[in-house]
Amino acid sequence: MAGLPEITMAGTLTSDPELSHTDKNVPYVRFTVACNDRRHDPNTGQWVDLDAAFLRCTAWRNLAEHIAASLTKGVRVLVTGILRQRTFDDADGRTVTVTDVDVTEVGASLKWATVRVTKATTVGRVA
């Protein structure tokens, strides 16, 4: 199937999600997920953090509001979305390429936590 790649990642929120609204009052949230590689060092018996990837994520509408109301810095999450790469010239005239994730689904990871799910009752909005 053609199109941009869909990814699923597990990682940790590096800060609280930032909820904003467009000029037309459409809610969106931005957050960064840190995904790192860990290995067990048999010599020390300790887990060692290796390379990390920091992926900037954006979610829209009801999903954005639910993320902002539910998740905070340090929470481990599972994120699914479309990987997008864009190029632009910064204020100094340098060409910059960034990779972002347009989020389609988010869930709290239950690997090291428990959650209590409350069904949202948002009326009048299309998800």
Side-chain angles (χ1 to χ4, degrees), residues 17 19-20 27-30 59-69:
L19 182 66
S20 298
Y28 66 96
V29 68
R30 289 197 172 129
W60 294 88
R61 299 178 180 76
N62 291 352
L63 179 57
E65 292 173 328
H66 298 166
I67 290 168

Side-chain angles (χ1 to χ4, degrees), residues 75-117:
V75 171
R76 186 166 174 83
V77 293
L78 305 171
V79 177
T80 299
I82 305 299
L83 195 61
R84 295 191 184 275
Q85 192 173 52
R86 56 190 172 88
T87 302
F88 60 92
D89 292 331
D90 69 8
D92 297 324
R94 292 177 290 204
T95 300
V96 178
T97 300
V98 296
T99 303
D100 299 310
V101 178
D102 285 342
V103 177
T104 55
E105 297 280 344
V106 176
S109 171
L110 301 181
K111 188 170 187 177
W112 297 303
T114 61
V115 298
R116 185 174 308 272
V117 177

Side-chain angles (χ1 to χ4, degrees), residues 12-17 30-34 53-57 77:
T12 304
L13 295 183
T14 62
S15 62
D16 290 344
R30 289 197 172 129
F31 57 95
T32 300
V33 176
F54 296 87
L55 288 165
R56 190 76 173 151
C57 301
V77 293

